[in-house]
DNA sequence: CCCCTTGATGTCAACGCTTTCATTACTATT
DNA sequence: AATAGTAATGAAAGCGTTGACATCAAGGGG
């Protein structure tokens, strides 16, 4: 049986209150007593029960993280930031995978609530009005990362300016002499990101006086296979291939597209330029190294945690609840070719 | 304020014990009462406090997972298996990242212990004798995945037969006409896997009467950059390049090696064949698709959880504490070329 | 008609901690 | 010397559950 606070107290000849104090309010206890207690703890390998503490103090020093899928490639980087920041604030993270299901996502709030988490980070899926009841109910701060909210309950969100980012991609491509620019956009029932990025693409074209052409656009749900299939459709739609560059809504889809191109005897960037989105670690590992938009995942995670930590225990002012757009960055690598003049 | 069990009890006109029973031993309560209680819960959006339950029942229905690094590419697949199996057994998973530090790994046991986890899954790092004190102390079952133990405390481990796996790779290569086979092996202070895979490689060579040649072997710590650099050293060691095939101790290093080869104007598999290890999701995404050894990560995770669930609350018999070797599989793709005769 | 089961429910003491409030022994202030 | 602070500690009441035990009504066997 593990040692409890009572055992330590007895061993050190003090009350449990004092032991609790050396842990939580060290400056309230006499240095000498402190020493004795510390020694006792050491001796008995005392580890306070986070559970009991949580129950008593009504806070668990734990943050809940809801992600749609653990296997989404961006997860690791995001988590790294969250973990790092949590660590610094003495918090633990409880992970919940909603498996891309809206119901499970909703459940997540309750379940994490049951663990007395001090705050919840919700990731990647669009928050719609049907989240409102839960959101009202949880009673703890919630922040959004890599997504935003359409619900009534105001929620802060940490992400990049998607429209701007994709606009930048188009601009980059145009500057390199491309005119026939296609796109594999994101499409998912519960995700606004796809729309936004597509909007950025259209905006970019418009800005440079290029006509939007449906023929050059296909959709997928961000994963590799979606990218592959979308590329396939693109290839079929235009037998006499004349697209010179392709934007994608995710690195994974970019990879899929490239694979598909390769399978059809086309090469990147010689025959067609491809730009990814995310800057996953693997973007620099493949051949050709992928030119892509870097999302500051780790920073987003850290920012979300900081916000949460600041918000816990008090009503955040309206001015704090807004959209925090972190800077993205276009990372030039090898998958785009400048068209000779 | 969230509704507590007392609120529900009052609303339903029963005692808290009854409410607790409808949750935990439904067959002990009258259907009619049950209905009333259920309704009350529904109405008040009652969510039992996992914390309080944990304290009272002395079990938290939570498993602890210690990984060396969240960004290790195999993590996601392993976690998927763990999460799935946990779900099925009504368990949550608490994640702890040791950041490749031995001290932090040791801490992990205490911290997770503080959360009353019912069991701990320890991953990827070799367990040495200095873990013994903690191991003795935790008092909850611990299982190892993707690694093994050299400590006194007997611990079950779930992994593949590393030696055999690498032997198979060599055999595969030899069958395809390769004789000059190099290797980028794993090396890390606290990892036995590297050794084992190297042993398999040597064993393979020996079996086919090929002499082991240090010139053809380099080491890295499993990550992309390590692979890249190791390849670089290999290239420098033998200016007149005559290696026809390369085994690696991880897919990531294989990727690194391929990148390095590409940067030196060499092509895979035309100029040299490369075999990875792990079968990460990205192995099938790159060009050329990577031939590699598939580790059943998800299955390993599931098996570990099952074992834990079975072991909780009772002393597992010695016969249950052994090495569980799950089947690996060589996945043929495109990165190996059969040498013409 | 009484006693014993049985099933359904209630009572209450934990679980290991934190926190308020009370107590004690000093020290500084008048 | 009396009073008021102040610093260090202790006693005890929760926190929201669970689980052992007690209670009670209804039904069955003698």
């Amino acid at each position: 049986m593990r040692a409890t606070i009572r055992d330590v107290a007895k061993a050190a000849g003090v009350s449990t209150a004092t032991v609790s104090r050396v842990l939580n309010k060290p400056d309230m206890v006499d240095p000498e007593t402190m020493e004795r207690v510390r020694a006792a703890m050491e001796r008995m390998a005392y580890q306070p029960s986070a559970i009991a503490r949580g129950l008593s103090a009504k806070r668990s020093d734990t943050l809940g993280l809801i992600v749609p899928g653990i296997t989404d490639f961006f997860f690791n980087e995001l988590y790294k930031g969250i973990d790092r920041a949590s660590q610094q604030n003495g918090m633990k993270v409880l992970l919940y995978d909603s498996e891309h299901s809206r119901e499970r996502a909703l459940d997540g709030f309750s379940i994490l609530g049951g663990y007395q988490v001090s705050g919840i980070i919700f990731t990647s899926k669009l928050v719609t009005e049907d989240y409102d009841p839960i959101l009202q109910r949880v009673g703890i701060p919630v922040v959004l990362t890599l997504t935003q909210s359409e619900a009534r309950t105001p929620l802060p969100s940490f992400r990049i300016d998607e429209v701007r980012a994709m606009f930048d991609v188009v601009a980059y491509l145009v500057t390199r002499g491309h005119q026939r620019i296609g796109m594999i956009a994101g499409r998912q029932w519960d995700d606004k990101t796809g729309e936004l990025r597509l909007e950025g693409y259209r905006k970019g074209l418009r800005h440079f006086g290029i006509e939007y052409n449906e023929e050059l656009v296909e959709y997928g749900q961000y994963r590799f296979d979606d990218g592959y299939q979308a590329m396939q459709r693109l290839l079929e739609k235009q037998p006499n291939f004349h697209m010179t560059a392709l934007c994608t809504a995710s690195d994974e889809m970019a990879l899929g597209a490239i694979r598909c191109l390769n399978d059809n005897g086309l090469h990147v960037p010689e025959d067609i330029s491809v730009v990814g989105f995310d800057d996953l670690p693997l973007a620099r590992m493949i051949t050709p190294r992928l030119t892509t938009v870097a999302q500051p995942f780790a920073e987003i995670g850290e920012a979300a945690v900081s916000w949460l930590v600041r918000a816990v225990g008090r009503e955040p002012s309206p001015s704090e609840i807004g959209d925090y757009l972190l800077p993205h960055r276009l990372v030039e690598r090898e998958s785009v070719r400048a068209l000779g003049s």
Side-chain angles (χ1 to χ4, degrees), chain A:
Chain A
M1 221 57 256
R2 322 168 54 94
T4 76
I5 200 174
R6 240 185 300 270
D7 302 326
V8 175
K10 198 171 303 174
V14 298
S15 74
T16 61
T18 301
V19 178
S20 171
R21 276 191 281 257
V22 351
L23 253 20
N24 303 302
K25 339 212 138 117
D27 36 319
M28 288 190 69
V29 17
D30 188 272
E32 203 176 304
T33 316
M34 181 109 153
E35 199 31 61
R36 268 206 336 280
V37 175
R38 283 259 161 80
M41 286 180 173
E42 191 69 25
R43 188 146 26 87
M44 320 179 73
Y46 170 68
Q47 172 75 28
S49 158
I51 300 274
R53 170 177 301 183
L55 182 58
S56 177
K58 301 162 91 149
R59 65 199 160 71
S60 63
D61 291 342
T62 300
L63 259 26
L65 172 60
I66 301 180
V67 292
I70 209 70
T71 56
D72 290 348
F73 281 18
F74 67 76
F75 166 78
N76 303 269
E77 298 303 309
L78 179 70
Y79 189 88
K80 198 161 71 175
I82 293 177
D83 195 48
R84 195 191 301 153
S86 303
Q87 209 96 57
Q88 279 169 11
N89 291 284
M91 300 241 153
K92 292 272 335 140
V93 179
L94 205 48
L95 186 56
Y96 183 86
D97 183 346
S98 69
E99 290 168 349
H100 294 275
S101 138
R102 200 201 276 287
E103 282 85 51
R104 278 189 44 86
L106 255 7
D107 284 352
F109 285 92
S110 305
I111 294 183
L112 291 174
Y115 280 87
Q116 297 270 24
V117 296
S118 320
I120 291 180
I121 301 176
F122 184 88
T123 301
S124 177
K125 293 290 189 188
L126 180 64
V127 172
T128 47
E129 295 209 342
D130 43 333
Y131 282 78
D132 274 318
I134 296 257
L135 254 17
Q136 305 287 8
R137 192 129 40 65
V138 282
I140 49 172
V142 174
V143 321
L144 273 24
T145 56
L146 307 178
T147 183
Q148 56 191 298
S149 171
E150 282 182 344
R152 290 238 175 62
T153 323
L155 256 26
S157 89
F158 293 82
R159 53 196 171 95
I160 62 168
D161 183 340
E162 313 276 0
V163 178
R164 182 58 198 274
M166 199 49 93
F167 180 97
D168 290 350
V169 171
V170 174
Y172 174 81
L173 254 13
V174 171
T175 314
R176 299 283 170 304
H178 293 277
Q179 289 283 119
R180 311 255 350 154
I181 302 171
M183 171 157 194
I184 296 180
R187 177 146 67 194
Q188 225 161 243
W189 61 103
D190 50 4
D191 148 78
K192 181 147 198 163
T193 307
E195 262 175 61
L196 258 22
R197 293 188 189 162
L198 184 58
E199 187 188 329
Y201 164 76
R202 300 185 71 152
K203 216 166 184 167
L205 292 186
R206 198 172 329 123
H207 183 264
F208 290 102
I210 304 172
E211 205 181 334
Y212 174 78
N213 180 353
E214 277 203 346
E215 283 283 291
L216 301 181
V217 178
E218 265 300 337
Y219 301 86
Q221 323 225 68
Y222 301 98
R223 307 304 304 241
F224 177 81
D225 293 325
D226 300 311
Y228 193 99
Q229 287 153 20
M231 191 67 237
Q232 200 121 273
R233 288 194 297 272
L234 242 22
L235 253 19
E236 283 159 11
K237 282 210 282 194
Q238 35 171 356
N240 29 278
F241 194 71
H242 51 198
M243 187 190 298
T244 66
L246 176 74
C247 315
T248 61
S250 78
D251 282 355
E252 255 195 90
M253 288 204 292
L255 280 200
I258 292 174
R259 256 313 333 182
C260 179
L261 257 3
N262 288 167
D263 288 350
N264 285 277
L266 261 14
H267 293 283
V268 177
E270 292 79 4
D271 300 315
I272 177 172
S273 295
V274 173
V275 180
F277 203 109
D278 285 344
D279 193 28
L280 299 175
L282 60 82
R284 57 180 263 274
M285 302 185 181
I286 62 170
T287 304
R289 293 182 178 91
L290 193 62
T291 290
T292 187
V293 175
Q295 292 209 63
F297 292 113
E299 286 78 3
I300 287 178
E302 290 187 65
V305 172
S306 302
W307 194 94
L308 236 31
V309 168
R310 244 175 296 124
V312 52
R314 61 188 192 83
E315 203 61 32
S317 77
S319 71
E320 291 173 288
I321 302 180
D323 288 358
Y324 295 83
L325 300 183
L326 280 77
H328 61 268
R329 194 165 46 86
L330 186 62
V331 185
E332 277 192 75
R333 284 199 271 248
E334 309 164 348
S335 61
V336 171
R337 180 169 79 98
L339 254 34
S341 58

